[in-house]
Amino acid sequence: MSTSGDSRVAEARSATLPAGEQATAPLISSLTKSHFPALDGLRGLAILLVVVYHFGRLHPDAHSKTPGLLLDATQLGWMGVDLFFILSGFLITSILWETKDTPGYFRNFLGRRFLRIWPLYYLNLVAFFLVLPLVLHPLPDEMRSMVDDQGWFWLYAANWLFALQGDFNHTSGGYFWSLAVEEQFYIVWPLVVFWLGARRLVWTCATLLAISFASRIVLVSGGVSTSSVYAMTFTHLDGLAIGAALAVGLRSPRPSAIVSSVAPIGAVLALLAMLAVRALDGSFLFWNRSMAMYGYTIIAIGFGCLLVLVLKHQQRPVIRALFTNRFMIATGRYSYALYLAHVPIATALYQALYEPYAAKASPPRAAAAFAVFALIAFATSWAAAWASWHVFEKRVLALKRYFAYA
């Protein structure tokens, strides 16, 4: 397989080839020197799915056996985290692969990652664990549960806390689990990419995918909580592994051609497989038995195919309309802050705006009130994410100039 330099040469040569032969050019060349707006749009889709899921779980009927078609559809939203994993595996591996032979490889990558992730993350922890306990008297039970176990959050190990507890009901802040998994990935993966060539790296990704899939089947069959296998790092590497493999494979003409040709079929098969899992479990929720054993891999394959199709057809009107419009690109840009902000904001507004009204309202009025609440909660969360980016994150990211790629 080619290096990033070889890929750029291949891309330049492909521009002079007849249209039929240009199809053999690799799908990507350099992500450190190019920007793909459609990837921002995919990130926007991921966070919108997560927001829909968390808002939907706040509805009183979401926990009933017959939640209704609309609330049933919101159950799909948790899969947005797996789309985040696909994008992280793809983007991070692309950056590492392109810079592995440059001076300051580890320093630059870790410095840039820490500037992107740590400041806002730890600012949230300071607010939760140091500021709010001084302001709120008494401290709400959901906040108290996080404060009591705050060490796991400070160490980026919250996913293991939830895995040990067996569910997300004992301690609040369940949405921190995926941030912990990604941070653990960021620390280990640069070493893996540095030491392995292209072929071995792809095989390593396939091995990690197989380990995740097989370990879930073994653990769930052995009686381990499905929520635990959802949260543990080594049982939820599917998306990261597939994204990383695509980052390497799509840089060479032949793998690009093969993956591009099978992606539409793979997407359809993944959708059909998900419907089969839904039929076995009765819902799309992540803690169902069949979903925990098979679903995460199916979802990762489906989103991997979506990534390939978006990269291949990013100039087509339908892709541009869906993923490169201003709202989706901006939502993708603000997705990190939106991910951290939407749960506490929605929870506070639900208790302040919806619960007091819904207790006295008729079912139709309560349904309308919930829709209004959801719109207000999303607008407030999006505004907070916008402010976070322009007031805080963008200024911190300016420090990346001290960790510039050669």
Side-chain angles (χ1 to χ4, degrees), residues 282-312:
S283 74
F284 286 110
L285 294 169
F286 69 81
W287 57 79
N288 291 327
R289 182 180 177 88
S290 298
M291 183 66 74
M293 289 196 291
Y294 317 117
Y296 308 158
T297 301
I298 296 169
I299 294 165
I301 292 172
F303 280 141
C305 292
L306 175 63
L307 172 62
V308 172
L309 293 172
V310 168
L311 287 172
K312 181 179 180 181

Side-chain angles (χ1 to χ4, degrees), residues 177-198:
W177 81 272
S178 63
L179 302 179
V181 171
E182 291 211 22
E183 187 64 19
Q184 294 158 29
F185 171 73
Y186 295 152
I187 292 174
V188 174
W189 201 241
L191 289 168
V192 177
V193 176
F194 183 78
W195 287 110
L196 297 181

